[in-house]
Amino acid sequence: MRVSILRSLLAAALLVVTAAQAQNYPNKSVRIVVPFAAGGPADNYARFIGQRLGDALGQPFVIDNRPGAGSIIGTDLVAKAPADGYTLLMMSNTHTVNETLIPTKPFVLMRDFVPVAPVNYSDLLLVTHPSLPAQNLQDILRLAKERPGKYNYASSGPGTPYHMAGELFKSMAGIYLVHIPYRGSSGARTDIVGGQVDMMFDALTTMAEQARAGKVRAIATSGRQRSSVLPDVPTLHESGLPGYEATIWLGLMAPAATPRAVVDRLNQEISRIVGQPEVRQLWGRQGATPMVMTPQEFDKYMREDIAKWAAVIKSADIKAD
């Protein structure tokens, strides 16, 4: 009986301490680690969210870019950080892909992190350099089948949504393209514009402007429906790959054992920010759709995404480059 009472008292005391932590959080600057290079969607939206979280909570949210090894370097840094809410991870579906693609990484996503909140998702855009003699998807398929291995596609690195979109494309189309991985999106974008690589999948939010300017040729988008950002560009689904669908989504996680009250407070603030009409309108013009979920819903969403990409990786026998 005394043991039971003591446990109840300790549990109650812990709840009081946790509530106090959340009430006083944050009382110093918070670091958001972005395990990708500057200039890409994860970096851009981390800065957007960080600025508004800082305004709302009264402390700076500082962006720390730690790219490398397909997001593993920066992610491992957060996994080993104190679980106090002052080091957060801006993650994407690169992380859910890597659970299967890179089983030897030094962390396990759903064991070593706790989901905080999703941010948004956007379709991808398949583009080519204008010098490639391909006006549409059927031209690309014809060229690739005539000369297997001659043509290539760039990505921001193994396991990224751009890499997986390309591998899914190859698998469904029955073609062989050489994968050219970069350490971040900026180098891949520079080389597709410069003609050093033939094609790439990139976030619609960052590549649409290059397509409008004629620096690249927009072939197709990756969603089930056409994007309002480029309404004249067909989807891969309607262009000859029925059922094709791939997106990039972003979210925030914290080290495992971060106090639940802190996680809930961050979730509430992020959900409020992305749910604002002006944010929805701004992101809609960019091609991004806000996502609002509780931490528990986001946990379920990520586990389902891990299972989805595990099936794709195994069926297509995709290997990390």
Side-chain angles (χ1 to χ4, degrees):
M1 177 67 73
R2 289 181 179 177
V3 173
S4 177
I5 292 173
L6 181 59
R7 285 176 177 169
S8 297
L9 290 173
L10 288 173
L14 182 60
L15 285 174
V16 171
V17 171
T18 302
Q21 285 178 322
Q23 188 174 8
N24 296 328
Y25 174 86
N27 56 29
K28 61 181 181 179
S29 63
V30 178
R31 176 171 60 158
I32 300 178
V33 175
V34 180
F36 308 104
D43 177 63
N44 292 336
Y45 288 112
R47 294 178 188 280
F48 184 98
I49 292 294
Q51 177 65 52
R52 283 152 184 79
L53 281 173
D55 293 343
L57 298 178
Q59 292 289 345
F61 280 68
V62 180
I63 307 306
D64 183 2
N65 292 92
R66 296 294 185 101
S71 81
I72 290 174
I73 291 175
T75 304
D76 191 45
L77 185 153
V78 180
K80 292 178 170 62
D84 55 10
Y86 290 94
T87 302
L88 305 175
L89 174 71
M90 174 59 86
M91 51 88 67
S92 75
N93 38 332
T94 294
H95 291 78
T96 53
V97 166
N98 280 348
E99 284 302 284
T100 303
L101 190 66
I102 309 177
T104 57
K105 64 191 183 314
F107 56 84
V108 176
L109 191 66
M110 306 310 290
R111 180 195 69 195
D112 297 324
F113 294 89
V114 59
V116 174
V119 174
N120 62 30
Y121 75 89
S122 62
D123 291 343
L124 305 178
L125 181 64
L126 173 60
V127 299
T128 66
H129 186 263
S131 64
L132 192 73
Q135 300 294 321
N136 52 46
L137 175 63
Q138 296 306 315
D139 287 344
I140 290 177
L141 299 183
R142 175 180 52 78
L143 290 173
K145 289 177 179 178
E146 287 175 352
R147 303 187 68 178
K150 172 178 171 56
Y151 301 99
N152 58 55
Y153 78 98
S155 84
S156 57
T160 60
Y162 317 117
H163 173 212
M164 296 308 298
E167 292 299 314
L168 183 62
F169 174 60
K170 287 164 53 177
S171 177
M172 292 183 66
I175 59 175
Y176 175 61
L177 302 171
V178 177
H179 177 215
I180 310 294
Y182 286 75
R183 190 174 179 228
S185 299
S186 58
R189 292 188 190 110
T190 297
D191 281 0
I192 186 68
V193 170
Q196 282 73 44
V197 292
D198 297 318
M199 64 192 84
M200 72 176 291
F201 282 88
D202 198 4
L204 189 64
T205 52
T206 52
M207 189 53 78
E209 202 59 40
Q210 303 283 5
R212 291 193 194 97
K215 295 181 179 179
V216 295
R217 179 177 293 127
I219 299 296
T221 56
S222 67
R224 283 299 184 95
Q225 298 179 344
R226 293 194 183 198
S227 170
S228 59
V229 175
L230 293 173
D232 294 333
V233 177
T235 66
L236 286 162
H237 171 73
E238 68 179 287
S239 298
L241 287 183
Y244 185 96
E245 184 175 16
T247 64
I248 178 171
W249 57 262
L250 303 168
L252 284 166
M253 300 186 83
T258 297
R260 172 54 59 185
V262 171
V263 170
D264 288 342
R265 184 165 193 202
L266 284 167
N267 178 273
Q268 291 165 8
E269 288 296 335
I270 293 167
S271 297
R272 180 189 61 79
I273 291 167
V274 305
Q276 294 173 336
E278 59 269 29
V279 172
R280 290 184 174 274
Q281 292 171 7
L282 173 64
W283 287 2
R285 291 194 295 270
Q286 297 170 350
T289 301
M291 299 169 70
V292 175
M293 299 178 191
T294 65
Q296 295 77 18
E297 291 168 339
F298 191 31
D299 183 284
K300 181 174 182 290
Y301 179 87
M302 282 194 290
R303 291 180 188 277
E304 291 174 348
D305 207 57
I306 289 170
K308 168 189 171 180
W309 286 111
V312 171
I313 290 166
K314 290 172 182 176
S315 66
D317 194 27
I318 299 170
K319 308 293 183 184
D321 291 316

